[in-house]
Coordinates of all heavy atoms in Angstrom, one line a residue:
T30 N -1.6 -1.3 20.0 CA -0.4 -1.3 20.8 C 0.8 -0.9 20.0 O 1.7 -0.1 20.4 CB -0.2 -2.7 21.4 OG1 -1.4 -3.0 22.2 CG2 1.0 -2.8 22.2
A31 N 1.0 -1.5 18.8 CA 2.2 -1.2 18.0 C 2.2 0.3 17.6 O 3.2 1.0 17.7 CB 2.1 -2.1 16.7
D32 N 1.0 0.8 17.3 CA 0.9 2.2 16.9 C 1.2 3.2 18.1 O 1.8 4.2 18.0 CB -0.5 2.6 16.4 CG -0.7 1.9 15.0 OD1 0.3 1.6 14.3 OD2 -1.9 1.8 14.6
A33 N 0.8 2.8 19.3 CA 1.1 3.5 20.5 C 2.5 3.5 20.8 O 3.2 4.6 21.2 CB 0.3 2.9 21.7
L34 N 3.2 2.4 20.5 CA 4.7 2.4 20.7 C 5.4 3.2 19.7 O 6.4 3.9 20.0 CB 5.1 0.9 20.7 CG 6.5 0.6 21.1 CD1 6.7 0.9 22.7 CD2 6.9 -0.8 20.9
V35 N 4.9 3.2 18.5 CA 5.5 4.1 17.4 C 5.4 5.5 17.8 O 6.3 6.3 17.7 CB 4.7 3.8 16.1 CG1 5.1 5.0 15.1 CG2 5.1 2.5 15.5
Q36 N 4.2 5.9 18.3 CA 4.0 7.3 18.7 C 4.9 7.7 19.9 O 5.6 8.7 19.9 CB 2.6 7.6 19.1 CG 2.3 9.0 19.4 CD 0.8 9.3 19.8 OE1 0.1 8.3 20.1 NE2 0.4 10.5 19.8
A37 N 5.0 6.8 20.9 CA 5.8 7.1 22.1 C 7.3 7.1 21.7 O 8.0 7.8 22.3 CB 5.6 6.0 23.1
A38 N 7.7 6.3 20.7 CA 9.1 6.3 20.3 C 9.4 7.4 19.3 O 10.6 7.5 18.9 CB 9.5 4.9 19.7
N39 N 8.4 8.1 18.9 CA 8.5 9.2 17.9 C 9.2 8.7 16.6 O 10.1 9.3 16.1 CB 9.3 10.4 18.5 CG 9.1 11.6 17.7 OD1 8.2 11.7 16.9 ND2 10.0 12.6 17.9
A40 N 8.8 7.4 16.2 CA 9.4 6.9 15.0 C 8.6 7.4 13.8 O 7.4 7.2 13.7 CB 9.3 5.4 15.1
D41 N 9.4 8.0 12.8 CA 8.8 8.5 11.6 C 9.7 8.3 10.5 O 10.4 9.2 10.0 CB 8.5 10.0 11.8 CG 7.8 10.6 10.7 OD1 7.0 9.9 10.0 OD2 7.9 11.8 10.4
P42 N 9.7 7.0 10.0 CA 10.6 6.7 8.8 C 10.2 7.4 7.6 O 9.0 7.7 7.4 CB 10.4 5.2 8.8 CG 9.0 4.9 9.3 CD 8.8 5.9 10.4
D43 N 11.2 7.5 6.7 CA 10.9 8.1 5.4 C 12.0 7.7 4.5 O 13.0 6.9 4.9 CB 10.9 9.6 5.5 CG 10.0 10.2 4.4 OD1 9.7 9.5 3.4 OD2 9.6 11.4 4.5
G44 N 12.0 8.1 3.2 CA 13.1 7.8 2.3 C 12.9 6.4 1.6 O 11.8 5.9 1.5
P45 N 14.1 5.8 1.3 CA 14.1 4.6 0.5 C 13.3 3.4 1.1 O 12.7 2.7 0.4 CB 15.5 4.3 0.3 CG 16.3 5.6 0.5 CD 15.5 6.4 1.5
L46 N 13.4 3.3 2.5 CA 12.7 2.2 3.1 C 11.2 2.3 2.8 O 10.6 1.3 2.5 CB 13.0 2.3 4.6 CG 14.2 1.5 5.1 CD1 14.3 1.7 6.6 CD2 14.1 0.0 4.8
V47 N 10.6 3.5 3.1 CA 9.2 3.7 2.9 C 8.8 3.6 1.4 O 7.8 3.0 1.0 CB 8.8 5.1 3.4 CG1 7.3 5.4 3.1 CG2 9.0 5.1 5.0
E48 N 9.6 4.1 0.5 CA 9.4 4.1 -0.9 C 9.4 2.6 -1.4 O 8.5 2.2 -2.2 CB 10.4 4.9 -1.7 CG 10.3 6.4 -1.4 CD 9.0 7.0 -1.6 OE1 8.3 6.6 -2.5 OE2 8.6 8.0 -0.9
S49 N 10.3 1.9 -0.9 CA 10.4 0.5 -1.3 C 9.1 -0.3 -0.8 O 8.6 -1.1 -1.6 CB 11.6 -0.2 -0.8 OG 11.7 -1.6 -1.1
R50 N 8.8 -0.1 0.4 CA 7.6 -0.8 1.0 C 6.3 -0.3 0.2 O 5.5 -1.2 0.0 CB 7.5 -0.5 2.5 CG 6.3 -1.2 3.2 CD 6.4 -2.7 3.1 NE 7.7 -3.1 3.7 CZ 7.9 -3.3 5.0 NH1 7.0 -3.0 5.8 NH2 9.1 -3.7 5.4
A51 N 6.2 0.9 -0.1 CA 5.1 1.4 -0.8 C 4.9 0.7 -2.2 O 3.9 0.4 -2.6 CB 5.2 2.9 -1.0
R52 N 6.1 0.5 -2.9 CA 6.0 -0.2 -4.1 C 5.6 -1.6 -4.0 O 4.8 -2.2 -4.8 CB 7.5 -0.1 -4.8 CG 7.8 1.2 -5.4 CD 9.0 1.1 -6.3 NE 10.2 0.7 -5.6 CZ 11.1 1.5 -5.0 NH1 10.8 2.8 -5.0 NH2 12.1 1.1 -4.3
E53 N 6.1 -2.3 -2.9 CA 5.6 -3.6 -2.6 C 4.1 -3.7 -2.3 O 3.4 -4.6 -2.8 CB 6.3 -4.2 -1.3 CG 7.9 -4.4 -1.5 CD 8.5 -4.8 -0.2 OE1 7.8 -5.1 0.8 OE2 9.7 -4.9 -0.2
L54 N 3.6 -2.8 -1.6 CA 2.2 -2.8 -1.2 C 1.3 -2.5 -2.5 O 0.3 -3.2 -2.7 CB 1.9 -1.7 -0.1 CG 2.4 -2.0 1.2 CD1 2.2 -0.8 2.1 CD2 1.9 -3.2 1.8
L55 N 1.8 -1.5 -3.3 CA 1.0 -1.2 -4.5 C 1.1 -2.4 -5.5 O 0.0 -2.8 -6.1 CB 1.6 0.0 -5.2 CG 0.8 0.5 -6.4 CD1 -0.6 0.9 -6.0 CD2 1.5 1.8 -7.0
G56 N 2.2 -3.0 -5.6 CA 2.3 -4.2 -6.5 C 1.4 -5.3 -6.0 O 0.8 -6.0 -6.8
G57 N 1.3 -5.5 -4.7 CA 0.5 -6.6 -4.1 C -1.0 -6.3 -4.4 O -1.8 -7.2 -4.7
L58 N -1.4 -5.0 -4.3 CA -2.7 -4.6 -4.6 C -3.1 -4.9 -6.0 O -4.1 -5.5 -6.4 CB -3.0 -3.2 -4.3 CG -4.3 -2.6 -4.7 CD1 -5.5 -3.3 -4.0 CD2 -4.4 -1.1 -4.4
L59 N -2.2 -4.5 -6.9 CA -2.5 -4.7 -8.4 C -2.5 -6.2 -8.7 O -3.4 -6.6 -9.5 CB -1.4 -4.0 -9.2 CG -1.3 -2.5 -9.1 CD1 -0.1 -1.9 -9.9 CD2 -2.6 -1.9 -9.6
R60 N -1.6 -7.0 -8.1 CA -1.7 -8.4 -8.4 C -3.0 -9.0 -7.9 O -3.6 -9.9 -8.5 CB -0.5 -9.1 -7.8 CG 0.8 -8.9 -8.5 CD 1.9 -9.8 -8.0 NE 2.2 -9.5 -6.6 CZ 3.1 -8.6 -6.2 NH1 3.7 -7.9 -7.0 NH2 3.4 -8.4 -4.9
S61 N -3.5 -8.6 -6.7 CA -4.7 -9.0 -6.2 C -5.9 -8.7 -7.1 O -6.8 -9.5 -7.3 CB -4.9 -8.5 -4.8 OG -6.2 -8.8 -4.3
L62 N -5.9 -7.4 -7.6 CA -7.0 -7.0 -8.5 C -7.0 -7.9 -9.8 O -8.0 -8.2 -10.3 CB -6.8 -5.6 -8.8 CG -7.0 -4.6 -7.7 CD1 -6.7 -3.1 -8.1 CD2 -8.5 -4.6 -7.2
E63 N -5.8 -8.1 -10.3 CA -5.6 -8.9 -11.5 C -6.2 -10.3 -11.4 O -6.9 -10.8 -12.2 CB -4.2 -8.9 -11.9 CG -4.0 -9.7 -13.3 CD -2.5 -9.6 -13.7 OE1 -1.7 -9.0 -13.0 OE2 -2.2 -10.2 -14.7
R64 N -5.9 -10.9 -10.2 CA -6.4 -12.3 -9.9 C -7.9 -12.3 -9.9 O -8.6 -13.3 -10.2 CB -5.9 -12.8 -8.6 CG -4.4 -13.2 -8.7 CD -4.0 -14.0 -7.5 NE -4.2 -13.3 -6.2 CZ -3.2 -12.6 -5.7 NH1 -2.0 -12.5 -6.3 NH2 -3.4 -12.0 -4.5
R65 N -8.5 -11.1 -9.5 CA -10.0 -11.1 -9.4 C -10.6 -10.5 -10.7 O -11.8 -10.3 -10.8 CB -10.4 -10.2 -8.2 CG -10.1 -10.8 -6.9 CD -9.8 -9.8 -5.8 NE -10.8 -8.8 -5.6 CZ -10.7 -7.7 -4.9 NH1 -9.6 -7.4 -4.4 NH2 -11.7 -6.9 -4.8
G66 N -9.8 -10.2 -11.7 CA -10.3 -9.8 -13.0 C -10.7 -8.3 -13.0 O -11.6 -7.9 -13.8
I67 N -10.1 -7.5 -12.1 CA -10.5 -6.1 -12.0 C -9.2 -5.3 -12.4 O -8.2 -5.5 -11.9 CB -10.8 -5.7 -10.5 CG1 -12.0 -6.6 -10.1 CG2 -11.2 -4.3 -10.4 CD1 -12.4 -6.4 -8.6
S68 N -9.5 -4.4 -13.3 CA -8.3 -3.5 -13.7 C -8.2 -2.4 -12.7 O -9.0 -2.1 -11.9 CB -8.7 -2.8 -15.1 OG -9.8 -1.9 -15.0
A69 N -7.0 -1.8 -12.8 CA -6.6 -0.7 -11.9 C -7.6 0.5 -12.1 O -8.1 1.2 -11.2 CB -5.2 -0.2 -12.1
E70 N -8.0 0.7 -13.4 CA -8.8 1.8 -13.7 C -10.2 1.6 -13.1 O -10.9 2.5 -12.5 CB -9.0 2.0 -15.2 CG -7.7 2.5 -15.9 CD -6.7 1.4 -16.1 OE1 -7.0 0.3 -15.8 OE2 -5.5 1.7 -16.3
T71 N -10.7 0.4 -13.2 CA -12.0 0.0 -12.6 C -12.0 0.2 -11.1 O -13.0 0.7 -10.5 CB -12.5 -1.4 -13.0 OG1 -12.5 -1.5 -14.4 CG2 -13.8 -1.7 -12.4
Y72 N -10.9 -0.2 -10.4 CA -10.7 -0.1 -9.0 C -10.8 1.3 -8.6 O -11.5 1.7 -7.6 CB -9.5 -0.8 -8.6 CG -9.1 -0.6 -7.1 CD1 -9.8 -1.3 -6.1 CD2 -8.3 0.4 -6.7 CE1 -9.5 -1.2 -4.8 CE2 -8.0 0.6 -5.3 CZ -8.6 -0.2 -4.4 OH -8.3 0.1 -3.1
L73 N -10.1 2.2 -9.3 CA -10.1 3.6 -9.0 C -11.5 4.2 -9.1 O -12.0 5.0 -8.3 CB -9.1 4.4 -9.9 CG -7.7 4.0 -9.6 CD1 -6.8 4.8 -10.7 CD2 -7.2 4.4 -8.3
Q74 N -12.2 3.8 -10.1 CA -13.6 4.3 -10.3 C -14.5 3.8 -9.2 O -15.3 4.6 -8.6 CB -14.2 3.8 -11.7 CG -13.5 4.5 -12.9 CD -14.0 3.9 -14.2 OE1 -14.8 3.0 -14.2 NE2 -13.5 4.5 -15.3
L75 N -14.4 2.5 -8.8 CA -15.3 2.0 -7.8 C -15.1 2.6 -6.4 O -16.0 2.8 -5.7 CB -15.1 0.5 -7.7 CG -15.6 -0.4 -8.9 CD1 -15.2 -1.8 -8.7 CD2 -17.1 -0.2 -9.1
T76 N -13.8 3.0 -6.2 CA -13.5 3.5 -4.8 C -13.5 5.0 -4.8 O -13.3 5.6 -3.8 CB -12.0 3.0 -4.4 OG1 -11.1 3.4 -5.4 CG2 -12.0 1.5 -4.2
G77 N -13.7 5.6 -6.0 CA -13.7 7.1 -6.1 C -12.3 7.7 -5.8 O -12.3 8.8 -5.1

């Protein structure tokens, strides 16, 4: 439903907002991997 509303509203954000959120998401992924004892390199290998 949220995605359909995004499409209907023609919302396509870019720039600093997206870059800042991307850094947050990537940082969260790396912290999650660290808690599980998995390095970023291993994760990349496992996921191809």
Side-chain angles (χ1 to χ4, degrees):
T30 297
D32 290 339
L34 194 64
V35 166
Q36 184 181 17
N39 200 17
D41 186 22
D43 209 343
L46 272 179
V47 172
E48 297 302 328
S49 174
R50 182 62 55 82
R52 287 193 296 271
E53 291 175 11
L54 293 174
L55 185 58
L58 172 62
L59 294 177
R60 288 191 295 273
S61 173
L62 292 175
E63 185 179 354
R64 286 194 297 270
R65 292 151 56 192
I67 302 174
S68 69
E70 292 76 12
T71 301
Y72 174 79
L73 293 175
Q74 291 175 357
L75 292 174
T76 57

